[in-house]
Amino acid sequence: MNPTPLDEHAGAHLDATRQSYDTVAADYARFVEDPGALDPVSRAVLSAFAELVASSGLGPTADVGCGPGKVTAYLTGLGVSAFGIDLSPRMIELARTAHPDLRFEVGSMAALESGDGELGGVLAFYSTHHLPPAELPQVYGEFHRALAPGGHLLLVTRVGEEEHQRRTYGYGDGDPAPFDSYRLPAERIAGLLERAGFAITAQTLQAPEEGAKRPVAGFLARKPAVDDTAP
């Protein structure tokens, strides 16, 4: 199966997100903390995912929406064969400069270049909230298509009550750029993942950090192996 082509509306939305992240890339890379400085629950979830995919031996892990590559490098340090994908060419330039020994590609999570069943893991770490809800089934379907049977997904995102915000973000003293953000209820995200064919193996819900307005949900999910569906 080949990746599903994007419709015109989705393509325009991706172009706008790409342009915004190109604008803020350098300041974003300086502003966003290293994964090792994250809260204990976030680090534990990343570590659990890393252990699952590293022990599976099913294939590499794609960090989709990798930004400047900090989480990709963190996973590699935990023993994962990981590479990064991001819409923003500028983000990928920064990732390659900071981590020249790792692989980074410009691309879209909505149309992955990976073949069917090629990946052992997919990580979407705060990278799906810019997608309109109508596009999530295609994206989750792409994750499922590219994962090998038995492969693992970790999706971490802020959640809310069917909220859509269009805000202008700036990082540090850098230029601001417009972004759309969507906050869905955790149960809706879980339902969409299940309809895409995933089995959710663990779910976390963290209260908002100081200064934040939305809780964070984490979903560890698995593409069922062939043996799982045998009679």
Side-chain angles (χ1 to χ4, degrees), residues 206-217:
Q206 296 174 247
E209 299 174 359
E210 184 176 354
K213 296 182 179 180
R214 299 292 180 271
V216 172

Side-chain angles (χ1 to χ4, degrees), residues 8-139:
E8 183 176 348
H9 171 75
H13 171 74
L14 293 175
D15 286 342
T17 303
R18 178 187 299 110
Q19 292 170 11
S20 291
Y21 271 112
D22 276 346
T23 299
V24 303
D27 293 289
Y28 179 94
R30 289 192 294 269
F31 180 84
V32 174
E33 63 187 354
D34 291 327
L38 291 172
D39 63 275
V41 174
S42 295
R43 286 186 280 112
V45 171
L46 281 170
S47 294
F49 173 70
E51 182 176 346
L52 287 168
V53 296
S55 63
S56 72
L58 292 173
T61 290
D63 177 9
V64 296
C66 66
K70 294 183 180 184
V71 179
T72 316
Y74 186 74
L75 284 180
T76 301
L78 294 175
V80 176
S81 174
F83 67 98
I85 301 168
D86 201 277
L87 272 176
S88 164
R90 181 58 181 143
M91 285 289 195
I92 292 299
E93 288 177 11
L94 293 172
R96 289 171 174 168
T97 298
H99 310 287
D101 54 331
L102 300 181
R103 170 186 162 200
F104 294 97
E105 303 172 351
V106 176
S108 169
M109 68 178 72
L112 298 172
E113 295 295 329
S114 300
D116 293 0
E118 185 176 305
L119 302 176
V122 172
L123 173 67
F125 196 71
Y126 294 99
S127 60
T128 58
H129 60 282
H130 295 308
L131 294 167
E135 296 177 21
L136 291 177
Q138 176 180 335
V139 170

Side-chain angles (χ1 to χ4, degrees), residues 119-164:
L119 302 176
V122 172
L123 173 67
F125 196 71
Y126 294 99
S127 60
T128 58
H129 60 282
H130 295 308
L131 294 167
E135 296 177 21
L136 291 177
Q138 176 180 335
V139 170
Y140 295 169
E142 269 296 275
F143 296 167
H144 188 274
R145 178 194 65 79
L147 277 171
H152 298 275
L153 166 70
L154 172 59
L155 188 153
V156 178
T157 189
R158 297 194 186 280
V159 293
E161 297 300 326
E162 306 286 353
E163 301 160 22
H164 173 207

Side-chain angles (χ1 to χ4, degrees), residues 56 58 144 147-152 197-199 201 221-231:
S56 72
L58 292 173
H144 188 274
L147 277 171
H152 298 275
F198 286 102
T201 56
R222 182 172 179 264
K223 179 176 179 176
V226 175
D227 291 347
D228 295 343
T229 58

